[in-house]
Short mmCIF file of all heavy atoms in Angstrom, two decimals:
data_model
loop_
_atom_site.label_atom_id
_atom_site.label_comp_id
_atom_site.label_asym_id
_atom_site.label_seq_id
_atom_site.Cartn_x
_atom_site.Cartn_y
_atom_site.Cartn_z
N GLY U 184 15.74 212.22 40.50
CA GLY U 184 16.69 213.29 40.26
C GLY U 184 17.86 213.20 41.22
O GLY U 184 17.67 212.93 42.41
N ILE U 185 19.08 213.41 40.70
CA ILE U 185 20.30 213.27 41.52
C ILE U 185 21.19 214.48 41.29
O ILE U 185 21.44 214.88 40.14
CB ILE U 185 21.07 211.99 41.17
CG1 ILE U 185 20.18 210.75 41.37
CG2 ILE U 185 22.34 211.86 42.02
CD1 ILE U 185 20.81 209.46 40.90
N ASN U 186 21.70 215.04 42.38
CA ASN U 186 22.61 216.19 42.29
C ASN U 186 23.67 216.09 43.39
O ASN U 186 23.41 215.62 44.48
CB ASN U 186 21.85 217.51 42.44
CG ASN U 186 22.78 218.71 42.37
OD1 ASN U 186 23.61 218.81 41.47
ND2 ASN U 186 22.66 219.61 43.32
N THR U 187 24.87 216.56 43.05
CA THR U 187 26.00 216.58 43.98
C THR U 187 26.47 218.01 44.18
O THR U 187 26.60 218.76 43.21
CB THR U 187 27.17 215.73 43.45
OG1 THR U 187 26.71 214.39 43.21
CG2 THR U 187 28.32 215.71 44.44
N GLY U 188 26.69 218.40 45.43
CA GLY U 188 27.17 219.76 45.68
C GLY U 188 27.29 220.06 47.15
O GLY U 188 26.94 219.26 48.02
N SER U 189 27.80 221.25 47.43
CA SER U 189 28.03 221.69 48.80
C SER U 189 26.73 222.20 49.42
O SER U 189 25.99 222.96 48.79
CB SER U 189 29.09 222.79 48.83
OG SER U 189 29.30 223.24 50.15
N VAL U 190 26.47 221.78 50.66
CA VAL U 190 25.28 222.20 51.40
C VAL U 190 25.68 222.50 52.84
O VAL U 190 26.78 222.19 53.28
CB VAL U 190 24.18 221.12 51.38
CG1 VAL U 190 23.66 220.91 49.98
CG2 VAL U 190 24.72 219.81 51.96
N ILE U 191 24.76 223.10 53.57
CA ILE U 191 24.96 223.34 55.00
C ILE U 191 24.26 222.23 55.76
O ILE U 191 23.07 221.99 55.59
CB ILE U 191 24.39 224.71 55.42
CG1 ILE U 191 25.06 225.83 54.62
CG2 ILE U 191 24.60 224.93 56.91
CD1 ILE U 191 26.56 225.91 54.81
N VAL U 192 25.02 221.55 56.61
CA VAL U 192 24.49 220.44 57.40
C VAL U 192 24.48 220.85 58.86
O VAL U 192 25.50 221.32 59.40
CB VAL U 192 25.35 219.17 57.22
CG1 VAL U 192 24.79 218.03 58.06
CG2 VAL U 192 25.40 218.77 55.75
N GLY U 193 23.35 220.68 59.51
CA GLY U 193 23.27 221.05 60.92
C GLY U 193 21.88 220.86 61.47
O GLY U 193 20.99 220.32 60.81
N GLU U 194 21.70 221.31 62.70
CA GLU U 194 20.41 221.19 63.36
C GLU U 194 19.50 222.31 62.90
O GLU U 194 19.80 223.49 63.09
CB GLU U 194 20.59 221.23 64.88
CG GLU U 194 19.31 221.01 65.65
CD GLU U 194 19.52 221.01 67.15
OE1 GLU U 194 20.28 220.15 67.64
OE2 GLU U 194 18.95 221.89 67.83
N ILE U 195 18.38 221.94 62.31
CA ILE U 195 17.43 222.90 61.78
C ILE U 195 16.09 222.73 62.51
O ILE U 195 15.58 221.62 62.59
CB ILE U 195 17.22 222.71 60.27
CG1 ILE U 195 18.56 222.73 59.52
CG2 ILE U 195 16.29 223.79 59.73
CD1 ILE U 195 19.32 224.01 59.63
N GLY U 196 15.55 223.81 63.02
CA GLY U 196 14.26 223.73 63.68
C GLY U 196 14.14 224.72 64.82
O GLY U 196 14.82 225.76 64.84
N SER U 197 13.30 224.39 65.77
CA SER U 197 13.04 225.26 66.91
C SER U 197 13.53 224.60 68.19
O SER U 197 14.06 223.48 68.17
CB SER U 197 11.54 225.56 67.01
OG SER U 197 10.83 224.37 67.33
N THR U 198 13.31 225.26 69.31
CA THR U 198 13.68 224.69 70.60
C THR U 198 12.75 223.55 70.99
O THR U 198 13.09 222.74 71.86
CB THR U 198 13.61 225.78 71.70
OG1 THR U 198 12.30 226.36 71.70
CG2 THR U 198 14.65 226.87 71.43
N VAL U 199 11.58 223.48 70.35
CA VAL U 199 10.62 222.42 70.65
C VAL U 199 10.83 221.20 69.77
O VAL U 199 10.79 220.06 70.23
CB VAL U 199 9.18 222.94 70.48
CG1 VAL U 199 8.16 221.83 70.74
CG2 VAL U 199 8.93 224.12 71.41
N ARG U 200 11.07 221.41 68.49
CA ARG U 200 11.23 220.32 67.53
C ARG U 200 12.31 220.69 66.53
O ARG U 200 12.26 221.78 65.94
CB ARG U 200 9.90 220.04 66.83
CG ARG U 200 9.97 219.05 65.68
CD ARG U 200 10.22 217.64 66.16
NE ARG U 200 10.35 216.71 65.04
CZ ARG U 200 9.32 216.11 64.46
NH1 ARG U 200 8.09 216.33 64.89
NH2 ARG U 200 9.52 215.27 63.46
N ALA U 201 13.29 219.81 66.33
CA ALA U 201 14.38 220.09 65.41
C ALA U 201 14.78 218.81 64.67
O ALA U 201 14.42 217.70 65.08
CB ALA U 201 15.58 220.68 66.15
N ASP U 202 15.50 218.99 63.58
CA ASP U 202 15.99 217.86 62.80
C ASP U 202 17.41 218.17 62.38
O ASP U 202 17.79 219.33 62.21
CB ASP U 202 15.09 217.63 61.58
CG ASP U 202 15.38 216.30 60.89
OD1 ASP U 202 16.11 215.48 61.48
OD2 ASP U 202 14.89 216.11 59.77
N PHE U 203 18.20 217.12 62.19
CA PHE U 203 19.56 217.28 61.68
C PHE U 203 19.52 216.97 60.20
O PHE U 203 19.35 215.82 59.79
CB PHE U 203 20.51 216.33 62.41
CG PHE U 203 21.96 216.63 62.15
CD1 PHE U 203 22.64 217.58 62.91
CD2 PHE U 203 22.66 215.98 61.14
CE1 PHE U 203 23.97 217.86 62.68
CE2 PHE U 203 23.99 216.26 60.90
CZ PHE U 203 24.65 217.20 61.67
N THR U 204 19.63 217.99 59.37
CA THR U 204 19.44 217.80 57.95
C THR U 204 20.33 218.75 57.17
O THR U 204 21.15 219.48 57.75
CB THR U 204 17.96 218.03 57.58
OG1 THR U 204 17.74 217.67 56.22
CG2 THR U 204 17.55 219.46 57.82
N ALA U 205 20.18 218.73 55.86
CA ALA U 205 20.98 219.58 54.97
C ALA U 205 20.08 220.57 54.26
O ALA U 205 18.96 220.24 53.86
CB ALA U 205 21.73 218.72 53.95
N VAL U 206 20.56 221.79 54.11
CA VAL U 206 19.82 222.82 53.39
C VAL U 206 20.77 223.51 52.43
O VAL U 206 21.98 223.54 52.62
CB VAL U 206 19.20 223.86 54.36
CG1 VAL U 206 18.14 223.22 55.22
CG2 VAL U 206 20.29 224.50 55.22
N GLY U 207 20.21 224.07 51.37
CA GLY U 207 21.02 224.79 50.41
C GLY U 207 20.51 224.62 49.00
O GLY U 207 19.59 223.83 48.73
N ASP U 208 21.10 225.36 48.10
CA ASP U 208 20.65 225.36 46.71
C ASP U 208 20.79 224.00 46.06
O ASP U 208 19.96 223.61 45.23
CB ASP U 208 21.45 226.41 45.93
CG ASP U 208 20.93 226.57 44.51
OD1 ASP U 208 19.72 226.79 44.33
OD2 ASP U 208 21.75 226.47 43.57
N ASN U 209 21.82 223.23 46.44
CA ASN U 209 22.03 221.93 45.80
C ASN U 209 20.98 220.91 46.20
O ASN U 209 20.72 219.96 45.45
CB ASN U 209 23.43 221.41 46.13
CG ASN U 209 24.50 222.08 45.30
OD1 ASN U 209 24.49 222.01 44.07
ND2 ASN U 209 25.42 222.77 45.96
N VAL U 210 20.37 221.08 47.35
CA VAL U 210 19.23 220.23 47.71
C VAL U 210 18.05 220.56 46.80
O VAL U 210 17.37 219.67 46.29
CB VAL U 210 18.84 220.44 49.18
CG1 VAL U 210 17.67 219.53 49.55
CG2 VAL U 210 20.02 220.16 50.10
N ASN U 211 17.83 221.86 46.57
CA ASN U 211 16.72 222.28 45.72
C ASN U 211 16.91 221.81 44.28
O ASN U 211 15.93 221.47 43.60
CB ASN U 211 16.60 223.81 45.75
CG ASN U 211 16.28 224.32 47.14
OD1 ASN U 211 15.65 223.62 47.94
ND2 ASN U 211 16.72 225.53 47.44
N ILE U 212 18.15 221.81 43.81
CA ILE U 212 18.41 221.36 42.43
C ILE U 212 18.03 219.90 42.27
O ILE U 212 17.40 219.50 41.27
CB ILE U 212 19.89 221.59 42.06
CG1 ILE U 212 20.17 223.09 41.93
CG2 ILE U 212 20.24 220.87 40.77
CD1 ILE U 212 21.62 223.42 41.66
N ALA U 213 18.40 219.07 43.24
CA ALA U 213 18.02 217.65 43.17
C ALA U 213 16.51 217.49 43.15
O ALA U 213 15.96 216.67 42.41
CB ALA U 213 18.62 216.90 44.36
N ALA U 214 15.82 218.30 43.94
CA ALA U 214 14.35 218.24 43.96
C ALA U 214 13.78 218.67 42.61
O ALA U 214 12.79 218.08 42.13
CB ALA U 214 13.82 219.13 45.08
N ARG U 215 14.36 219.69 41.99
CA ARG U 215 13.87 220.16 40.69
C ARG U 215 14.11 219.11 39.61
O ARG U 215 13.27 218.91 38.72
CB ARG U 215 14.58 221.46 40.30
CG ARG U 215 14.34 222.63 41.25
CD ARG U 215 12.92 223.12 41.20
NE ARG U 215 12.74 224.31 42.01
CZ ARG U 215 12.38 224.33 43.28
NH1 ARG U 215 12.16 223.17 43.89
NH2 ARG U 215 12.24 225.45 43.95
N LEU U 216 15.25 218.43 39.68
CA LEU U 216 15.52 217.37 38.70
C LEU U 216 14.50 216.25 38.84
O LEU U 216 14.03 215.70 37.84
CB LEU U 216 16.93 216.81 38.90
CG LEU U 216 18.09 217.76 38.58
CD1 LEU U 216 19.42 217.08 38.87
CD2 LEU U 216 18.03 218.22 37.12
N CYS U 217 14.16 215.91 40.07
CA CYS U 217 13.16 214.87 40.30
C CYS U 217 11.81 215.29 39.74
O CYS U 217 11.10 214.49 39.12
CB CYS U 217 13.06 214.56 41.79
SG CYS U 217 11.82 213.33 42.23
#
Side-chain angles (χ1 to χ4, degrees):
I185 302 174
N186 179 48
T187 303
S189 179
V190 294
I191 301 300
V192 179
E194 184 178 300
I195 307 298
S197 66
T198 56
V199 177
R200 172 70 183 273
D202 192 12
F203 192 86
T204 187
V206 294
D208 186 52
N209 282 300
V210 181
N211 298 331
I212 290 176
R215 298 292 186 269
L216 293 178
C217 178

